[in-house]
Amino acid sequence: MTEPSFTVHIQPDGTKARARQGDILSDVLMRAGVPLSAYCNKRGVCGKCAVRIVSGPLPFQTPREEALLLRRGLGPDHRLACLYEVRSDVAVEVLPGSRLESVAVLETGMATDVIPQPAVRKLFLSLERSGPASPEAALDGLRSLLKTRDLGVPLPVLEKLGGGSIASKGGFTAVLFGGREVLDIEPGDTTEGIFGLAVDLGTSTVVAEIADLRTGEVVGRASSVNTQASYGVDVVSRITFAFENPDNLRRLRRAVIQLLNELVAEAARPRGVPRHRIYEAVVAGNTAMNHFLCGVPVDTLAMAPFHAVFTALPPLPAAEIGLSINPHAKIHIVPNIGSFVGGDVTAGLAASEMASSHGRELFIDLGTNGEIVLKRGRELAAASTAAGPAFEGMNISCGMMAVAGAVHHAEWDDAGFRLRTIGDLPPSGVCGTGLVDILAIALENKLIRPDGRIAAPERRLELGSGLALTQQDVREIQLATAAIRTGALLMLREFRTPSRKLDRILVAGAFGGSLDVRNAVAIGLLPDIHAGRITFVGNASLAGARKLLLSAPEREAAEALAASIAHVSLASQPGFQDEFVKAMEFKPYRAGEP
Amino acid sequence: MTEPSFTVHIQPDGTKARARQGDILSDVLMRAGVPLSAYCNKRGVCGKCAVRIVSGPLPFQTPREEALLLRRGLGPDHRLACLYEVRSDVAVEVLPGSRLESVAVLETGMATDVIPQPAVRKLFLSLERSGPASPEAALDGLRSLLKTRDLGVPLPVLEKLGGGSIASKGGFTAVLFGGREVLDIEPGDTTEGIFGLAVDLGTSTVVAEIADLRTGEVVGRASSVNTQASYGVDVVSRITFAFENPDNLRRLRRAVIQLLNELVAEAARPRGVPRHRIYEAVVAGNTAMNHFLCGVPVDTLAMAPFHAVFTALPPLPAAEIGLSINPHAKIHIVPNIGSFVGGDVTAGLAASEMASSHGRELFIDLGTNGEIVLKRGRELAAASTAAGPAFEGMNISCGMMAVAGAVHHAEWDDAGFRLRTIGDLPPSGVCGTGLVDILAIALENKLIRPDGRIAAPERRLELGSGLALTQQDVREIQLATAAIRTGALLMLREFRTPSRKLDRILVAGAFGGSLDVRNAVAIGLLPDIHAGRITFVGNASLAGARKLLLSAPEREAAEALAASIAHVSLASQPGFQDEFVKAMEFKPYRAGEP
């Protein structure tokens, strides 16, 4: 007997999809190519995948579903696609707010001031033939021009060297990598066109930047939410998804490569950069993203003791990765430090010049996976702590990413909260930096108790403009803050470094225009040192990738740095649980802490 | 108007092919997959592509065509396929003798006695996990086990390292190349299976040998005529063919790779060697064959000053070449010395240990392209001379390759020639070593004058058993001998080395069981030194390839040797023409020569 099959009409797209009895609507929509938001990885808890049931059965809403829909102002004909089982033909409208959209993300981090010293260079050459008396192979001629005997050449490039256009008198341009490898051969003089690609491969957002490798000038940039979010919003969901079956790993890989290729095309367009003239790329991503990009299984990352397959890799040819730039271009994956301290952190350290600076420094990346690096003299150690995505606006009822309309700063006057939004638009949600301000204000004004309890009897913190934080929202922020704080405390204690003796704290994160560090200190997210010694570096990962692209010596130094950093597993530290419970209280670091 | 199109019925195959008005029959047959002999590259001069016209028009035979067909005992209903234009439907029978057949070729050369020291080795490993306190990436674990930080790993192998079967407790086997590169990862202990491939990539014949890299034992061997012969029997024809258009180069490449893959399969069969357990290959071929194998254009080899595209190449992955062994296996192309002194000569020198021996030595490869290497102390020089394929039995009316039924030796008694054949079969033709014997006997008995003229008034040298040499045949041998002799003389003179002072002459060639060096000296093919100092090494190219496969240090030495040999262009030497004319006389070297 054949299982019954139904038609799902998708609006406003006007497309149709087939579904079998009991299929989950969100799966059907994703298979049909709808870029559905699924921040909670289809667990029915984020409410981001709401759709309107235009025609078809309307089963009872679960209480949680009803609450999530109500928050978005959605009525009884709406349902969460991830909870809806298809049991007959159905027509659904996918709401604009339920789709992943290309958003303006925080693209620039610290300024990187680096003298371009790329590993790739171009030489305009001519193979002077000295007549029949001294037969010489073209490649040997090239070797002697380049003064090296060991010269690697991919076969397709060797074919070009044998082609008529190269052998002719006009001369040609050799693209060299590290002086020992010919990446390409181009007829005529093309020495002016030599580009590289810097990629910030974030879990939530991806930014691609094209730079002129001669001058260091950024000639194009494009960004997008990471479309892998369709398969799970956070890294852990995606690792679980990939672990389920090998096809899923392929899906994740395909999604990120397709996205990168779109971003490269977009970044190349304004200045008309030919994609085959991009000869090198530096990708800064966390450990899992790097594995996805390479199509390497993350099975061991999914289970204790959470081992990665690789930290550092030799440069890979673009064609092997699937990147549509010059097929022989070298892709450098910025080395990971540990299973949950990725190449994005390495890049961030490079951008902040932590390796070359002196003194005691703390680097904190306030991402979903809060990474902490402590430096004491020449000694460096790194750890990660599961902060969750609260500071990225996720798992917060009124939370959102740092995009236009997001509340990124808040102040207090007698009338209540005064909210400032990105782009000065009417507020549509609160992003990470806004949450920090709101929490600090609420604490100061006793709207929230240090233990996180909302003072108002209805347990809602009204922010105005229809926005409010629930008790659950405050708990999420509390957990995130406690995770970071516990991590920092344990690291400082392990390396016997009192927080007040820190020369500098570098805070990285892609969650707002700029973090009010005073407020971050007030809620206990950052150690209590003078605000002047705390620097918010924003998206340091992209800045680092760009730096490591432009300078081969800096890249080598960063590779050595990553290999030298000790990785500390916080969860196995004695006292972790005790500290975590203590850190749940919103309050500044104690004077003697740690 | 559509051009008329005709049907060609191919017998005994029972297949049909379409042809357009005026198509050449040999092209039609080759397109249809018939492995037609075309030794003269379809110039109508070798007579090897004769077919019987079963039904269809029979245009007049040209006088040369008639003579060629008569030689093969073929009557008026036969034609040469390369001269036959299709002008209506036609049925043809392709004669067995007009097909390229798999033949037993001279497979073994000198014994190579080398201690196996392959670049590839296997290690059975287990990634002991030390618990959550020290997260370690699998690749880093492998690096520390192998005590190297720089470890290259192809992405597909990295994927395996992340797979469950490798991460599990059972342990795995890493295949290492040169200690710095992981070629593969295999579950369990596979250290016993580690094989390599040695290939003699000849213009006429191709031999593939599989060796156990641990013991050096040859575990399988297969050989075939080079199926590229369909596109031209000699290197120059094939270079011209490839030069005509890029598709032809692709055809040559495809033909040789398909053949190699068939030979590998055949060689692997008897002992059941899994092809993915072949991790390294050494290919010894001439410069043009090496270019064809890599798909590199030979345009510059087709025209003066006859430059190659490459002499030496770094090892290439099997997948890039298209060889069906382990995709990450390393293919070493034995470096060429010059445009017409190829890697087969380098391999031959390695087999004969010319580099490490002392004294004055002459190495002569009696191939179509006669290669000559002279060694004086530490100084080495190489040259090539266009001998033509006479010693391989081609362009000789009764000539044939050194296969069963070929006359490979001749003696004289009062009744005339006494012929000995390979396999003691009734004689069906004469191969190279037989020709040398016959010429020497004919000279001694004044059946041929030193100037090459056949004494008998009908200008035919009857050999018995229905075989005879024509005046033209003798001229071909005379030209080949003169080319080799001129080359050797000029080299000896250039390096001021009297031939009598040579400590050793090494003669390589794939044209018979063993060369009677006394006869070769008598006709002036080889310098007149004591026969005990002349060694016939046979197919030294294969022996060399095997040696260079088994020993990485020997391979490095051979690479250095090839780079150090001076290449001499004989044709541009003063006196070349004069010497060549003098060398046309069949007689031993003069006492004072050079």
Side-chain angles (χ1 to χ4, degrees), chain A residues 32-340:
Chain A
V34 176
L36 198 70
S37 291
Y39 282 118
C40 67
N41 202 23
K42 301 179 274 181
R43 286 177 290 132
V45 297
C46 76
K48 308 277 184 193
C49 66
V51 296
R52 189 167 71 86
I53 307 300
V54 179
S55 73
L58 279 167
F60 279 112
Q61 294 174 340
T62 67
R64 183 199 266 167
E65 184 179 18
E66 191 181 359
L68 289 167
L69 290 169
L70 275 176
R71 267 193 208 170
R72 288 183 65 183
L74 301 175
D77 54 346
H78 290 82
R79 291 293 181 280
L80 297 185
C82 71
L83 297 179
Y84 189 97
E85 288 186 14
V86 180
R87 307 218 159 270
S88 72
D89 288 352
V90 61
V92 302
E93 180 195 350
V94 181
L95 309 180
S98 298
R99 289 170 193 264
L100 293 170
E101 301 285 336
S102 185
V103 293
V105 295
L106 186 66
E107 288 174 340
T108 46
M110 301 176 79
T112 38
D113 202 12
V114 60
I115 298 159
Q117 280 182 274
V120 172
R121 65 201 170 97
K122 280 187 162 188
L123 286 176
F124 178 58
L125 301 168
S126 171
L127 290 175
E128 291 278 328
R129 307 290 195 168
S130 43
S134 69
E136 193 180 66
L139 183 59
D140 293 331
L142 191 55
R143 283 185 176 124
S144 79
L145 282 172
L146 302 173
K147 298 179 180 59
T148 171
R149 268 224 63 83
D150 294 320
L151 194 66
V153 186
L155 272 195
V157 176
L158 203 61
E159 281 175 44
K160 291 187 192 179
L161 199 60
S165 60
I166 299 296
S168 73
K169 297 274 173 206
F172 63 93
T173 302
V175 187
L176 294 171
F177 173 72
R180 295 280 285 270
E181 215 171 326
V182 178
L183 296 187
D184 213 344
I185 290 282
E186 296 163 357
D189 185 350
T190 65
T191 45
E192 300 234 321
I194 175 163
F195 299 95
L197 180 71
V199 175
D200 169 30
L201 190 63
T203 306
S204 311
T205 56
V206 180
V207 191
E209 225 179 56
I210 298 174
D212 186 323
L213 293 183
R214 292 173 310 155
T215 61
E217 185 198 359
V218 174
V219 296
R221 184 183 288 142
S223 60
S224 164
V225 293
N226 188 334
T227 46
Q228 288 180 328
S230 297
Y231 304 113
V233 68
D234 57 67
V235 162
V236 174
S237 322
R238 282 180 223 169
I239 289 174
T240 310
F241 178 74
F243 183 50
E244 277 166 16
N245 76 59
D247 276 345
N248 286 357
L249 175 62
R250 263 169 243 135
R251 283 193 187 99
L252 285 167
R253 184 184 196 186
R254 217 178 300 129
V256 70
I257 287 165
Q258 192 185 330
L259 175 60
L260 283 178
N261 285 333
E262 286 168 12
L263 292 179
V264 171
E266 193 184 328
R269 208 171 293 125
R271 295 274 285 266
V273 174
R275 277 192 273 173
H276 60 276
R277 296 269 152 91
I278 301 175
Y279 305 102
E280 211 172 359
V282 169
V283 179
N286 63 45
T287 306
M289 284 305 303
N290 289 342
H291 280 56
F292 295 147
L293 179 68
C294 296
V296 171
V298 288
D299 303 14
T300 54
L301 271 177
M303 298 170 294
F306 307 110
H307 286 147
V309 176
F310 65 89
T311 49
L313 284 185
L316 296 162
E320 207 170 321
I321 293 277
L323 217 50
S324 298
I325 55 178
N326 189 295
H328 311 296
K330 294 289 182 183
I331 313 297
H332 307 275
I333 299 193
V334 182
N336 309 310
I337 295 165
S339 298
F340 293 105

Side-chain angles (χ1 to χ4, degrees), chain B residues 58-76:
Chain B
L58 279 167
F60 280 112
Q61 295 174 340
T62 66
R64 184 199 264 168
E65 185 180 17
E66 192 181 358
L68 288 167
L69 290 169
L70 276 176
R71 266 194 210 170
R72 289 182 64 181
L74 302 175

Side-chain angles (χ1 to χ4, degrees), chain B residues 362-366 505-509 511 515 517 520 525-526 534-540:
Chain B
L362 189 67
F363 177 93
I364 300 180
D365 189 330
L366 290 176
I505 299 178
L506 295 151
V507 185
F511 55 82
L515 178 72
V517 292
L525 177 62
L526 299 179
I534 304 180
T535 311
F536 179 64
V537 297
N539 188 351

Side-chain angles (χ1 to χ4, degrees), chain B residues 11-13 35 39 50 91 115 149 184 189 259 316 372 406 432 470 481-482 531:
Chain B
Q11 297 178 0
D13 311 49
Y39 283 119
I115 298 159
R149 267 224 64 82
D184 212 345
D189 184 348
L259 175 60
L316 296 162
I372 298 163
T470 65
T481 306

